[in-house]
Amino acid sequence: MWLKPEEVLLKNALKLWVTQKSSCYFILQRRRGHGEGGGRLTGRLVGALDAVLDSNARVAPFRILLQVPGSQVYSPIACGELLSGSDVYWAIATGATLEEINQHWDWLEQNLLHTLSVFDNKDDIASFVKGKVKALIAEETSSRLAEQEEEPEKFREALVKFESRFNFPEAEKLVTYYSCCCWKGRVPRQGWLYLSINHLSFYSFFLGKELKLIIPWVDVQKLERTSNVFLTDTIRITTQNKERDFSMFFNLNEVFKIMEQLADVTLRRLLDNESFDLDPDLQEPSQITKRDLEARAQNEFFRAFFRLPRQEKLHVVVDCSLWTPFSRCHTVGRMFTSDSYICFASKEDGCCNVILPLREVVSIEKMEDTSLLPNPIIISIRSKMAFQFIELKDRDNLVESLLLRLKQVHANHPVRYDTSHDEDMTSPVFHSTDMCSDHKFGDLEMAPSQNSEESDKEKSPRLHPEALMAAFQQSGSQSPASRMSREQIKISLWNDHFVEYGRTVCMFRTEKIRKLVAMGIPESLRGKLWLLFSDAVTDLASHPGYYENLVEESMGRCCLVTEEIERDLHRSLPEHPAFQNETGIAALRRVLTAYAHRNPKIGYCQSMNILTSVLLLYAKEEEAFWLLVAVCERMLPDYFNHRVIGAQVDQSVFEELIKEHLPELAEHMTDLSALASISLSWFLTLFLSIMPLESAVHVVDCFFYDGIKAIFQLGLAVLEANAEDLCSSKDDGQALMVLSRFLDHIKNEDSPGPPIGSHHAFFSDDQEPLPVTDIADLIRDSYEKFGDQSVEEIEHLRCKHRIRVLQGHEDTTKQNVLRVVTPEVSISPEDLEELYDLFKREHMMRCYWEQPQPATPRHDPSRPYAEQYRIDTQQFAHLFQLVSPWTCGTHTEILAERTFRLLDDNMDHLIEFKALVSCLDIMYNGEMNEKIKLLYRLHIPPALTENDRDSQSPLKNPLLSTSRPLVLGKSNGDATDYQKQLKQMIKDLAKEKDKTEKELPKMSQREFIQFCKTLYSMFHEDPEENDLYQAIATVTTLLLQIGEVGQRSSSSGSCSQEYSEELQASAPSPDRDVVFADNVKGPQDTQVFPEEAEGDWTVSLEHILASLLTEQSLVNFFEKPLDIKSKLENAKINQYIKSFEMSHQSQSELKLNNL
């Protein structure tokens, strides 16, 4: 085990130790007398000494020393056994084998040996290695106890350090932490990695330098395991602008899985709230623990492997063995128990899987425990089958929990046995000979009796009673005898299989049934087997009358979804006679409309019509509905929504599989996105839209049995068959033509019906015909060559590529927003991009620590690009202080609130990016008149309200004095009279008034006071502060005179004349005019206007603008160039700091990864 490094002198120790391995930095030594074959005297003496010593004083038989070149001092950093009481070094761990010390040696070689060469100073080498070993000691101590529930004290200690180092809000829950190295170029920084619900944070204090790194999960664009020239295995995190490598983990696999889970949960919660439903345990992000993430990963694998409903929650996974009568032995595997299912999967992939819905279970009993059958239980099901499980740990508690859930399931969904006979179900295939007459396959309310059928027809005469294929059976080119003989052979094979392996949803699923599916399911059994393989039969049985009620509720309603459905009804398999008349069209309309009513989140998406048409051909209408539910909600999750995220993720996975399995094709077609685009319809329609129908249904057979894996491997087989032509194609169009022609020439030789071509395929008739490919051969090749992908591998790839797809959508949104905004403003595209990132991060920072519900209205992917992200008033105020050039000290927050109210046109208390940029563009790049107009609008309604936060200020009341003349004393003693300038200004205003596009309302005295206060705040700490204060005092006095004249006049037309007379009547005074009663400095003797005059005192924008133009210092202030880049750089660094009030951060090196 690792030891705390201590100095060791080897001068007198070489006789006791033998060097076995060495490198330029490390030495592995064995103590004499241990592991020697010979009987040398020295070894015997040392061995005898070690043997007679008390166990507390024995020396470790193996050790590793750190050797610093040029030094005679060595540090033992790893030891194979306990050493105590030594004066040389300290030991803190135990161990006694060569294998153990070799593990430490191998770790050093793989993780440290190549790294040390980057250090120039040997003292730095020693410091780095010692620090790393100390961290490993701490890691070994805490790695098993990192979970808060398991070791509260250790976790609490790490939590205190995390909170003090990063100052996140309390809601930022720490999930776990690890010791590791973060690479900065070629230099590693040893430190601690903290994984919290929204951030990856790294802290290091090395050689007197502090480093803090914060990476929001939502900024992660790629998370992968890789290697570099120094290390064989690292975790690389890629964001928009940087890559960060982390290495030297004690358990890298565990760390990577936790990172992947956190990134996936956070990205989907914040970026994919259109379709992502949080697990119940993850509904409150601040309560997420490491154990919850591990449980979620196991839950998702369980649901994906057995293709169960999303609401199924895994309870127990236990090793066991299942008696398999077809092999006459017990098969080793694992039992999975959930809310409504008991499932079994053999350890050998594909050997045997079983799905037992608790609805089908009759009893669960314990058997006598024997040496041959340890801890057995028997699970009996309705079809008179029994499953024997043995070697179950904690059998009693397991059976007790299963019986409790069994009782709940039967209470919620009572099983009523149907004693009548349904012709469709009494075929030799589906009628078990060992069952009673009331125990038949499918009698879970799925096959109603004759009497109930009649009553149902009276209630809902519109539902079609049978599969459309039966009503619109076509005769093929083959003779009826030949066609029937092939079908009978297949039926006979399936019947033999049912007898041996079971005929219900609880059948043993083995490699043999996969081969039968690959050969093609008989048409008479296809619909029923689709129900079994997808487990839609359980949904059908559990919801009697559900579909009919949906049809009743949904039909006749008119909305956008129903309009889309109506448009696509006649485009659904138009070449098939079943959809050339109203019978098939009406059934398709009912199923699609009912599903849209059931699941408004999905509603209706294109390609659902094609899939549903095929389901209706082989299944009854209600069965087709539940098959559609199984496909959309379980087997192809997130495929059918606004952004088809699921299909895009699988396309991205398909690209990686192409690189892995078809490297030559991938090398030739450097841009695989073209192939991915071509293959989108393969995934969305399961090849139904691009392959002849009789061949495509064969693909659907495989899909219902093997899930999306069947589509992946068939897609690879198609590309491999056309690899040569694709490599020689000159462009994407030619590649598309190659694949389209090939897919259109795939035939099904065993199909009893006539060939029905794909209405999406296209090629010229004058081209030479391609050889026909049999679908059975293509499917067989796909299983043989590409069938090695496991469900776990596919789910891992989906998780990996979901990050890429979601971030791709974010990039698309960003580019579209910038494309719309850029032409309308003068801010450079680079600065706009920085502003967008700040805006989005501000939105995200609020979403991190709120419940999922409040975040939803702020981020809606279904809205136009420019409106997808929006921020509220508090977020805007924070961003305004960071990026606005109009900083007014404590008054800035008040100004930000007014700006928000001005920009919030629709009064929903949210604004989008475009509004913010338009406002900033005026502040930074606008002409003076535009800036003054914006300031003016910020001090009149709706920006300024009666309940404004500054309304309690003493300046709310009129504290202006206008009794003094319009003369300002200059510093040199001269006086300037502005009467002539004012006369000319009023004349100019009269001329310009007609040119104004939309006249703004005039400003009252209270509003004018707030306007002046804002100007005074803006000038604070300006280099020309004194000159600006003098200038604004002059302008304010001028405007007060204008306001009084307007107050006394009876009409706006007499304003200029009366004001001119007033000016001539006023006597000049050398006294300096006092404009404000300065509530900061304290004078209180200023004359106050009576309140009743306030409503009549007004000034206009034109008055203010013309007055400001009389002072050159004010003109210079508003027209001076402003640098937005420095503001943005400062904002990127301080956005987190100011949010968390990290005042101590100035002494540390804070680096946000996305800077």
Side-chain angles (χ1 to χ4, degrees), residues 532-575:
L532 288 183
F533 295 153
S534 64
D535 196 36
V537 63
T538 301
D539 289 333
L540 176 65
S542 303
H543 300 83
Y546 176 83
Y547 173 68
E548 293 182 15
N549 293 334
L550 275 183
V551 172
E552 293 280 348
E553 295 172 10
S554 62
M555 293 305 293
R557 295 190 178 186
C558 185
C559 59
L560 182 62
V561 171
T562 56
E563 291 176 5
E564 292 178 356
I565 291 173
E566 288 297 327
R567 281 199 302 267
D568 287 346
L569 285 177
H570 295 277
R571 305 174 188 170
S572 309
L573 298 186
E575 67 277 6

Side-chain angles (χ1 to χ4, degrees), residues 755-815:
I756 300 177
S758 167
H759 60 283
H760 285 278
F762 56 88
F763 58 93
S764 302
D765 294 334
D766 57 352
Q767 290 180 311
E768 59 183 51
L770 285 177
V772 172
T773 303
D774 186 31
I775 185 63
D777 295 337
L778 188 63
I779 289 176
R780 184 178 61 254
D781 288 346
S782 73
Y783 275 103
E784 292 176 354
K785 297 177 181 179
F786 310 109
D788 57 347
Q789 293 291 329
S790 67
V791 172
E792 189 172 12
E793 291 170 339
I794 290 175
E795 289 303 306
H796 169 70
L797 289 174
R798 278 177 161 177
C799 184
K800 171 184 173 182
H801 288 277
R802 189 180 294 112
I803 295 174
R804 172 184 163 185
V805 169
L806 288 175
Q807 293 292 13
H809 276 273
E810 291 301 300
D811 289 342
T812 301
T813 299
K814 177 178 177 178
Q815 296 306 320

Side-chain angles (χ1 to χ4, degrees), residues 1043-1103:
E1044 282 196 357
V1045 171
Q1047 179 181 356
R1048 296 170 187 173
S1049 63
S1050 57
S1051 65
S1052 59
S1054 63
C1055 176
S1056 60
Q1057 181 182 354
E1058 289 190 16
Y1059 184 64
S1060 177
E1061 294 172 357
E1062 182 74 18
L1063 287 174
Q1064 293 175 1
S1066 62
S1069 171
D1071 297 338
R1072 185 173 180 178
D1073 183 37
V1074 179
V1075 180
F1076 282 95
D1078 193 343
N1079 60 331
V1080 178
K1081 296 182 180 179
Q1084 301 294 327
D1085 56 350
T1086 308
Q1087 180 179 350
V1088 179
F1089 269 137
E1091 289 194 21
E1092 57 270 17
E1094 183 181 355
D1096 299 327
W1097 189 100
T1098 59
V1099 291
S1100 67
L1101 171 63
E1102 292 79 7
H1103 291 149

Side-chain angles (χ1 to χ4, degrees), residues 350-353 355 505 507-511 513 532-533 705:
C351 176
C352 178
N353 296 330
I355 299 176
V505 70
M507 68 174 67
F508 292 97
R509 305 180 189 217
T510 65
E511 191 63 32
I513 196 171
L532 288 183
F533 295 153
Y705 185 77

Side-chain angles (χ1 to χ4, degrees), residues 182-384:
C182 175
W183 289 78
K184 186 179 180 182
R186 296 177 60 188
V187 180
R189 296 290 297 265
Q190 171 62 36
W192 289 93
L193 182 71
Y194 298 92
L195 305 181
S196 56
I197 56 173
N198 297 301
H199 298 86
L200 177 151
S201 308
F202 178 80
Y203 179 85
S204 172
F205 188 84
F206 184 64
L207 300 178
K209 191 174 183 182
E210 188 177 42
L211 170 70
K212 293 184 181 181
L213 173 69
I214 299 174
I215 306 176
W217 291 117
V218 78
D219 288 352
V220 174
Q221 295 186 337
K222 188 185 295 184
L223 182 63
E224 58 187 340
R225 294 177 62 169
T226 182
S227 59
N228 57 30
V229 293
F230 303 109
L231 296 173
T232 57
D233 210 357
T234 64
I235 296 177
R236 174 167 295 171
I237 297 176
T238 304
T239 58
Q240 183 178 358
N241 299 320
K242 285 190 178 180
E243 291 181 347
R244 292 285 186 181
D245 289 340
F246 297 89
S247 63
M248 301 184 196
F249 292 98
F250 185 70
N251 188 342
L252 188 135
N253 288 331
E254 175 189 307
V255 179
F256 186 74
K257 287 181 180 178
I258 295 295
M259 282 185 175
E260 203 171 46
Q261 283 287 310
L262 279 170
D264 183 60
V265 168
T266 307
L267 280 167
R268 295 178 72 183
R269 174 167 59 89
L270 297 177
L271 303 184
D272 192 26
N273 48 25
E274 179 190 13
S275 59
F276 178 51
D277 296 323
L278 283 171
D279 294 344
D281 293 336
L282 304 180
Q283 289 287 352
E284 177 53 63
S286 62
Q287 302 300 319
I288 293 176
T289 65
K290 181 180 173 184
R291 184 175 298 168
D292 291 333
L293 293 172
E294 292 170 347
R296 176 181 180 268
Q298 203 169 33
N299 246 321
E300 291 206 334
F301 167 76
F302 164 69
R303 291 194 292 259
F305 187 85
F306 296 104
R307 297 190 294 282
L308 300 179
R310 280 190 177 183
Q311 62 269 23
E312 279 302 307
K313 181 179 178 182
L314 182 64
H315 292 286
V316 177
V317 180
V318 58
D319 292 333
C320 65
S321 296
L322 170 65
W323 174 255
T324 48
F326 53 88
S327 61
R328 299 188 179 278
C329 66
H330 283 92
T331 300
V332 179
R334 290 189 299 171
M335 175 190 286
F336 302 79
T337 68
S338 65
D339 297 333
S340 306
Y341 291 86
I342 302 172
C343 302
F344 174 84
S346 60
K347 287 196 173 179
E348 182 182 347
D349 188 34
C351 176
C352 178
N353 296 330
V354 174
I355 299 176
L356 304 176
L358 287 179
R359 181 181 172 81
E360 282 283 274
V361 174
V362 174
S363 64
I364 303 174
E365 301 172 306
K366 292 183 287 187
M367 294 176 59
E368 183 181 354
D369 188 5
T370 65
S371 58
L372 294 177
L373 299 175
N375 295 328
I377 67 171
I378 294 289
I379 299 178
S380 302
I381 62 173
R382 292 182 51 211
S383 58
K384 303 300 183 182

